[in-house]
Amino acid sequence: MPFGPFEAMKAPAAEITPASFQSLRDRLTADGVHSLLAQFTDVHGVARGKLVPLNQLELLMTEGVGFAGPSIWGTGLARTGPRAEYYGRGQIDTVRALPWMPGIARVVCDGYVAGEPFDACPRQVLKRQLARLAERGWTLRTGIEPEFFLLRRTADGYDPADPHDRLDKPSYDLKSLPRQREFLHQLADGLTRCGLDVFQIDHEDAHGQYELNFHHADALTSADHLMLFKLAAHTLAEQHGMVFSMMPKPFANQPGSGMHFHASLWNAAGAGRTTLNARCVFDDASQDLSVIGRQFTAGVLQHADALCAIAAPTVNSYKRLTVGESITGTTWAPAYVAHGPNNRTALVRTLKGRIEWRVPDASANPYLATAALIAAGLDGIARQLDPGPACTDDLFPLSLSQIRERGIAVLPQSLSEAVDALEGDEVIRAALGDTLSREFIRLKRAEWVGYARHVSAWELQRYADQF
Ligand code: GLU
Ligand code: MG
């Protein structure tokens, strides 16, 4: 059986007693767990950690387990002295036995340095923004939609793992999907047994591309779920001889992989459209979005360029966010800074009581993307910004000059432009904190320079014998 919530998990940290550790350890032992996978997420959104024997459970949850700080991307920690150690401190409510790795339970860790929450740990960054919402009595719920490719390595690159997956317009293809049914079932089943509410899986619009959806949750849990999804998918794909990839745009002529965020603010008190006695602050009986929802949206549009650096953080991201067509007729990627009711051609698609932020791609760090989203939205609320008229047009067939005539801006078209925008955006940088924004900007500039200095096959083909 999967591990449900443990009694101890519900207790505030101060009330966790040696006895509750013992009972958790006993339950894990009874379920065959011998080791804990102490996992945190680096600045790039990649899972990191170490294996810890189960008898170290209490240490992991109290002091944490140590890592050499400078070995982790984005910490900016020193090589020597008391601030050289990064501690991953296990969060007791996240312990889950992994069905695809028998004997091992995953524990999500928060970063600590010198006994204090580490400001540049992406999960701590998100917690800081959630605390700003909590000051207003709000919580954020997010539903994160991962799109991904199943690939196989070839002599000179990667192809879709399924060689028969070749339809011109493969969205919702029911011939390819069943061919991957074993992998997809193991993935959905494993995640369900870890407490994710998986509700659908489909073939997306590119060869070898799929999407698996699990229900929304509070924003921290959703980000933890997304990381668990990636852990599971990487391991299972490897077991099936495939490569699981959340690279944003593996094939130039096909749609890329987005990681859209559905987001809504909730207020624990009050009446209205209720879920677990909470009221959706974005909901309004008379229109799709409340005034607060519109202001939040305006903030997301206002900070769209800087948000891009966090939500579309690789060189490759900007091959997805381009303006234009793919072989299937549309990339569905949102390059236009606009919002509209059920409008998937705009950056923010508005729905009843929630927004879908369509910019993030599959390479984004889910903690940082959520934190940046909150900071942008709260700025919109603080300044009572108006998002302007809703856009009901299909923006995709319009030319760039027609888009501009409507006063609609286009997102940065390269990582370099996006990082410039982040550097110039104090609101988003403040949300990330000094260390993380400095490290993020430094790493992303180096990534851009590395890309720019590389001589690609395209360049050779185009220029080698031309001049
Ligand atoms: N793959 C598209 C993207 O990159 C999204 C397709 C969809 O809306 O499901 O954003
Ligand atoms: Mg999709």
Side-chain angles (χ1 to χ4, degrees), residues 145 147 204 209 211 248 255-260 320 331-334 344 356 358 360:
E145 299 185 342
E147 295 181 332
E204 287 286 307
Q209 192 190 32
E211 178 170 329
S257 287
M259 193 166 78
H260 311 151
R320 163 179 174 259
T331 65
W332 289 116
R344 288 185 173 86
E356 182 191 25
R358 293 178 60 81

Side-chain angles (χ1 to χ4, degrees), residues 125-140 263-266 281-282 291-303 307 355 369-386 425-428 430-432:
V125 170
L126 175 53
K127 281 182 157 181
R128 286 203 299 273
Q129 293 307 304
L130 293 172
R132 292 182 64 207
L133 292 178
E135 278 167 21
R136 293 170 171 257
W138 291 339
T139 58
L140 179 75
S264 53
L265 285 181
W266 291 75
V281 179
F282 278 7
V291 172
I292 295 286
R294 285 175 56 77
Q295 291 172 347
F296 191 99
T297 301
V300 174
L301 299 181
Q302 177 85 31
H303 294 281
L307 288 180
I355 62 169
T370 313
L373 176 72
I374 295 170
L378 278 181
D379 190 48
I381 293 169
R383 291 162 59 200
Q384 302 186 342
L385 297 179
D386 188 298
D425 191 320
E426 281 176 23
V427 169
I428 305 302
L432 300 177

Side-chain angles (χ1 to χ4, degrees), residues 128-307:
R128 286 203 299 273
Q129 293 307 304
L130 293 172
R132 292 182 64 207
L133 292 178
E135 278 167 21
R136 293 170 171 257
W138 291 339
T139 58
L140 179 75
R141 293 190 76 77
T142 54
I144 306 181
E145 299 185 342
E147 295 181 332
F148 59 93
F149 282 81
L150 291 176
L151 304 174
R152 68 185 166 86
R153 284 195 181 83
T154 62
D156 52 359
Y158 294 86
D159 274 345
D162 174 2
H164 305 294
D165 187 349
R166 292 180 173 281
L167 289 186
D168 284 349
K169 204 166 174 61
S171 263
Y172 310 125
D173 175 22
L174 285 183
K175 292 188 190 66
S176 304
L177 191 78
R179 283 197 286 271
Q180 296 292 10
R181 67 184 177 280
E182 241 178 273
F183 164 83
L184 294 170
H185 173 68
Q186 283 173 16
L187 181 58
D189 183 56
L191 294 173
T192 304
R193 289 164 64 195
C194 287
L196 276 70
D197 196 3
V198 177
F199 68 95
Q200 60 186 14
I201 304 172
D202 71 4
H203 193 293
E204 287 286 307
D205 210 14
H207 299 148
Q209 192 190 32
Y210 305 82
E211 178 170 329
L212 179 146
N213 297 118
F214 40 88
H215 268 122
H216 56 92
D218 72 88
L220 193 64
T221 302
S222 279
D224 289 343
H225 283 172
L226 196 274
M227 294 308 298
L228 187 65
F229 161 80
K230 290 209 274 189
L231 275 176
H234 276 294
T235 307
L236 286 167
E238 231 170 74
Q239 288 171 10
H240 284 262
M242 301 188 289
V243 176
F244 164 83
S245 178
M246 288 182 78
M247 173 177 177
K249 182 94 171 179
F251 304 114
N253 63 350
Q254 299 200 38
S257 287
M259 193 166 78
H260 311 151
F261 278 54
H262 289 255
S264 53
L265 285 181
W266 291 75
N267 191 335
R273 207 181 85 185
T274 56
T275 301
L276 305 172
N277 300 323
R279 189 174 65 85
C280 177
V281 179
F282 278 7
D283 205 355
D284 184 317
S286 62
Q287 51 188 346
D288 273 1
L289 278 184
S290 63
V291 172
I292 295 286
R294 285 175 56 77
Q295 291 172 347
F296 191 99
T297 301
V300 174
L301 299 181
Q302 177 85 31
H303 294 281
D305 290 7
L307 288 180

